Amino acid sequence: DEKLVGYIAFFLSNSLHSRGVLIAKDDALFVHKAYRTQRVGSDLIRFAIGHLRSLGARMVYITSKPP
């Protein structure tokens, strides 16, 4: 049974400081409360970084805020 338990979203843009460098900046990360102790967030981040690198991103920025 497959169901959505979380998501992650990034923006891709060209660096303003380094010509030809593609950067990725996080916009949202959400994991359903029932799954927050199962490393779903870590898995989403790891998957996203690999995918962003495959798209050519050379820098990936991930920020956080207190709960």
Side-chain angles (χ1 to χ4, degrees):
D1 184 31
E2 294 183 24
K3 61 182 168 180
L4 182 66
V5 298
Y7 59 85
I8 191 165
F10 284 82
F11 287 105
L12 288 170
S13 64
N14 292 311
S15 171
L16 297 175
H17 304 287
S18 302
R19 179 180 241 172
V21 174
L22 186 63
I23 62 172
K25 169 73 176 79
D26 69 320
D27 181 55
L29 170 63
F30 173 79
V31 176
H32 188 280
K33 191 173 185 175
Y35 295 86
R36 291 184 185 163
T37 60
Q38 299 179 32
R39 304 197 56 83
V40 173
S42 297
D43 290 343
L44 284 169
I45 291 169
R46 219 176 339 276
F47 175 83
I49 289 172
H51 183 64
L52 292 163
R53 297 269 188 226
S54 76
L55 295 174
R58 290 183 43 202
M59 295 182 198
V60 178
Y61 294 94
I62 300 173
T63 58
S64 65
K65 65 178 182 176

